[in-house]
Amino acid sequence: GSVFAHLVQAPEDPILGVTVAYNKDPSPVKLNLGVGAYRTEEGKPLVLNVVRKAEQQLINDRTRIKEYLPIVGLVEFNKLSAKLILGADSPAIRENRITTVECLSGTGSLRVGGEFLAKHYHQKTIYITQPTWGNHPKIFTLAGLTVKTYRYYDPATRGLNFQGLLEDLGAAPAGSIVLLHACAHNPTGVDPTIQQWEQIRQLMRSKGLMPFFDSAYQGFASGSLDTDAKPIRMFVADGGECLVAQSYAKNMGLYGERVGALSIVCKSADVAGRVESQLKLVIRPMYSSPPIHGASIVAVILRDKNLFNEWTLELKAMADRIISMRKQLFEALRTRGTPGDWSHIIKQIGMFTFTGLNPAQVSFMTKEYHIYMTSDGRISMAGLSSKTVPHLADAIHAVVT
Ligand code: PLP
């Protein structure tokens, strides 16, 4: 018999498993709202025009080689990524007290940051929002940190539980790490206001809590790269330290290229240099060095003024389509006279709406309407189109009446 005969079949990933079930459904009206990836009005994946142009440039460049990158990845990409998230005029960049390493998309950046903290930071507890993206607790537990939660979402208002958040962070042991979604909170679509961010910043700095930003959706929430980076820049502007995990999966549509970056903002250039030397010791035995292709695409786009501007327009178009889906779904429920307050659909921000539908209702919608979503009632607005909104509205109407 096999030495692995004792293994039990592991369950599908709760998010990726939605697509597995969707693929098995033969219904022509089936609708996949589980996947966190952008779709066009026609329901198709999108490769941005600027990405195609950048790839063409890379192909035309016969001097390009495919040697290993350094452990920290493509150095120009790292510099441009720091500038993109912190702003070109950031004091941390000017003073050279930041280290940025290319990692395997947002997930890899979170994992490398988590392992670095577990090894070198005095506090081993990380607080994550309740609820959060399902991968967060697994990433940080495996990185060697202890995961605890802080209150974030209020099911009654389908908005922010700001009081609960302040109480829980206020009660956290000094120095604890706090994971903050930079914008477009996943799965709730609920973000603090700028005033609330300022209160969070003051509380965290007064208690010496360490901010670890997860920035998976820069530009995707508001349509503006600068607006979506504002909370991070507030924390950097006060001179304190923080970590930032960036992903280019959503905002450049580079999902499968696995391109992202981890930045650690320090108090001095001297410390940043030593931090980087230790990050290399985390990365080397994990995957040695990151891939070259995705980072090269990003560097071509970020370094060229014209391509950069073209990117911001394409990004804004994606964000606007998502916002328009919110309005259309809200209107469709209003015209059907669907009971309940659905204004959270237009108030929430980013790729997802946290509908408030419970697992039984989700399961009904899947069975009767062939609509697929995670069991917590999260739907991807990016997976909707003008053509499919009525079908979703019918299903929601049916399940709540
Ligand atoms: N963080 C959050 C909140 C996310 O929603 C995602 C993707 O869904 C990620 C990080 C990481 O994604 P990736 O590893 O594809 O960049």
Side-chain angles (χ1 to χ4, degrees):
S2 168
V3 294
F4 303 117
H6 61 288
L7 294 194
V8 295
Q9 183 70 29
E12 290 285 355
D13 180 271
I15 298 176
L16 304 180
V18 173
T19 298
V20 174
Y22 167 85
N23 288 338
K24 283 188 193 148
D25 185 338
S27 166
V29 299
K30 67 179 177 176
L31 185 56
N32 187 359
L33 302 178
V35 59
Y38 184 79
R39 295 287 177 264
T40 63
E41 250 304 291
E42 291 71 44
K44 296 275 186 305
L46 179 67
V47 179
L48 299 187
N49 262 321
V50 277
V51 167
R52 293 210 189 276
K53 284 185 188 173
E55 285 192 308
Q56 201 52 56
Q57 263 193 38
L58 293 172
I59 289 166
N60 291 344
D61 180 0
R62 304 300 296 180
T63 68
R64 265 194 98 228
I65 49 171
K66 293 197 183 276
E67 291 288 286
Y68 292 125
L69 285 180
I71 297 172
V72 296
L74 196 65
V75 172
E76 186 193 11
F77 162 86
N78 292 339
K79 290 207 156 45
L80 291 166
S81 293
K83 212 170 109 183
L84 181 72
I85 194 73
L86 299 189
D89 55 355
S90 172
I93 295 175
R94 202 170 49 237
E95 293 152 18
N96 209 19
R97 53 183 174 80
I98 174 170
T99 168
T100 306
V101 294
E102 178 194 337
C103 294
L104 278 76
S105 213
T107 305
S109 307
L110 293 167
R111 178 67 184 263
V112 169
E115 295 214 2
F116 170 82
L117 291 170
K119 241 175 137 174
H120 299 293
Y121 185 62
H122 66 278
Q123 256 286 3
K124 311 294 182 199
T125 303
I126 185 165
Y127 282 79
I128 61 176
T129 61
Q130 175 58 42
T132 193
W133 181 49
N135 218 8
H136 279 151
K138 301 173 198 172
I139 290 170
F140 294 117
T141 302
L142 284 172
L145 296 170
T146 301
V147 175
K148 292 198 172 143
T149 61
Y150 61 97
R151 277 173 286 171
Y152 188 84
Y153 177 75
D154 182 357
T157 61
R158 289 171 189 169
L160 187 67
N161 181 355
F162 190 52
Q163 206 48 47
L165 178 152
L166 293 179
E167 281 170 25
D168 289 352
L169 294 189
S176 300
I177 309 155
V178 179
L179 188 79
L180 301 159
H181 297 224
C183 70
H185 182 269
N186 180 5
T188 67
V190 173
D191 286 351
T193 64
I194 284 299
Q195 290 75 22
Q196 288 169 333
W197 273 117
E198 175 53 21
Q199 273 180 269
I200 296 169
R201 188 193 66 76
Q202 286 177 17
L203 171 67
M204 286 184 57
R205 290 312 194 197
S206 75
K207 294 201 58 186
L209 301 175
M210 175 61 99
F212 191 164
F213 282 99
D214 181 0
S215 178
Y217 298 94
Q218 188 188 2
F220 228 82
S222 68
S224 155
L225 289 159
D226 289 326
T227 303
D228 289 354
K230 191 100 191 274
I232 299 176
R233 293 175 189 179
M234 288 164 63
F235 276 77
V236 173
D238 68 17
E241 294 174 304
C242 68
L243 288 81
V244 184
Q246 273 171 278
S247 168
Y248 289 96
K250 327 277 167 166
N251 60 12
M252 270 195 204
L254 292 175
Y255 307 91
E257 296 290 357
R258 311 309 294 145
V259 53
L262 171 73
S263 287
I264 305 188
V265 176
C266 307
K267 291 251 167 104
S268 71
D270 178 46
V271 173
R274 279 180 277 144
V275 165
E276 181 161 308
S277 72
Q278 291 294 336
L279 278 173
K280 285 157 75 173
L281 297 190
V282 173
I283 293 167
R284 175 68 168 151
M286 204 191 287
Y287 53 81
S288 200
S289 61
I292 196 168
H293 189 66
S296 303
I297 295 170
V298 173
V300 167
I301 294 170
L302 296 186
R303 85 159 79 100
D304 182 295
K305 205 164 178 288
N306 292 328
L307 288 181
F308 184 90
N309 285 336
E310 210 178 313
W311 174 44
T312 62
L313 298 178
E314 286 190 85
L315 180 54
K316 173 104 175 41
M318 288 193 284
D320 284 349
R321 198 185 86 71
I322 292 173
I323 292 166
S324 128
M325 286 306 113
R326 291 185 179 281
K327 292 187 181 140
Q328 288 184 32
L329 179 60
F330 177 71
E331 271 310 304
L333 292 172
R334 212 179 52 87
T335 50
R336 278 163 183 73
T338 307
D341 176 7
W342 296 94
S343 62
H344 56 288
I345 293 173
I346 43 179
K347 283 184 205 142
Q348 293 172 359
I349 191 164
M351 197 174 252
F352 302 109
T353 291
F354 212 45
T355 58
L357 296 166
N358 63 41
Q361 291 171 318
V362 169
S363 146
F364 172 88
M365 286 168 62
T366 303
K367 197 154 158 271
E368 302 297 327
Y369 287 82
H370 307 275
I371 296 173
Y372 291 80
M373 67 186 88
T374 48
S375 60
D376 58 4
R378 184 194 80 164
I379 57 176
S380 171
M381 300 313 284
L384 269 182
S385 73
S386 308
K387 286 188 284 295
T388 55
V389 162
H391 181 57
L392 175 60
D394 286 345
I396 294 177
H397 187 83
V399 83
V400 300
T401 50

